[in-house]
């Protein structure tokens, strides 16, 4: 039906530009944007993950909101809490969730003064609160 109503034209126009150049025109998920836009894209990403992955993210977000002066949550602490709540069965499962979070730039890592790797969410507290309310 659509083919009979319109006179479609198709042009093959390759740019021959490297993917690095072509990719500059697509917005990053959390890199450059307002806090509201970042929270919206984070909600979309989190909704596509499993309920256990969402719960692991919730643990990290609640910790960050309740401890605003700290560098972030230690990976060992996140593992212990997640295991107590039966969200992960091993460190490998947690690492799979964390890899997914890092790939979508939902979580970043930094070292605390003791040299321990800590996880943090690179969003403002208001955006994290909004994010938690939207995924629950």
């Amino acid at each position: 039906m659509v083919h009979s109503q319109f006179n479609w034209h198709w042009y093959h126009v390759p740019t021959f530009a490297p993917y690095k150049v072509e990719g500059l025109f697509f917005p990053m998920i959390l890199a450059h944007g307002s806090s509201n836009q970042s929270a919206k894209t984070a909600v979309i990403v989190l909704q596509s993950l499993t309920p256990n992955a969402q719960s692991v993210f919730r643990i990290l977000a609640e910790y960050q909101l309740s401890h605003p002066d700290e560098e972030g949550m230690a990976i060992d602490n996140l593992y212990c809490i997640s295991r107590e709540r039966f969200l992960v069965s091993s460190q490998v499962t947690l690492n799979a969730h964390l890899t997914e979070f890092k790939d979508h730039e939902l979580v970043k890592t930094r070292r605390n003064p003791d040299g321990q790797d800590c996880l943090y969410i690179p969003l403002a507290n208001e955006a994290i609160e909004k994010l938690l309310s939207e995924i629950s």
Side-chain angles (χ1 to χ4, degrees):
M1 171 123 176
V2 173
H3 298 290
S4 63
Q5 292 178 347
F6 297 101
N7 188 13
W8 295 100
H9 291 279
W10 180 76
Y11 295 98
H12 179 67
V13 186
T15 62
F16 298 109
Y19 289 122
K20 189 175 184 179
V21 173
E22 289 182 2
L24 292 175
F25 303 105
F26 296 111
M28 297 289 286
I29 293 220
L30 292 176
H32 308 290
S34 67
S35 183
N36 290 336
Q37 184 63 30
S38 298
K40 287 178 186 176
T41 55
V43 166
I44 292 168
V45 170
L46 286 171
Q47 287 175 343
S48 69
L49 299 176
T50 64
N52 284 355
Q54 291 176 8
S55 297
V56 169
F57 185 83
R58 178 179 299 284
I59 292 169
L60 181 60
E62 290 171 351
Y63 182 88
Q64 185 168 327
L65 290 173
S66 64
H67 300 87
D69 298 332
E70 293 187 16
E71 295 290 322
M73 185 175 198
I75 295 174
D76 297 337
N77 294 347
L78 180 61
Y79 174 68
C80 289
I81 294 171
S82 299
R83 189 169 169 124
E84 287 172 2
R85 296 184 187 177
F86 299 104
L87 299 173
V88 297
S89 58
S90 66
Q91 184 74 36
V92 174
T93 308
L94 178 64
N95 288 342
H97 293 320
L98 294 178
T99 300
E100 191 73 30
F101 298 154
K102 289 176 186 177
D103 287 348
H104 293 289
E105 298 180 5
L106 295 173
V107 171
K108 293 191 177 185
T109 306
R110 61 180 161 204
R111 290 192 188 263
N112 66 6
D114 298 334
Q116 191 175 27
D117 286 336
C118 293
L119 301 167
Y120 72 98
I121 301 168
L123 292 172
N125 286 345
E126 297 81 24
I128 294 173
E129 289 171 356
K130 182 179 178 182
L131 178 65
L132 288 177
S133 67
E134 290 187 19
I135 63 169
S136 60

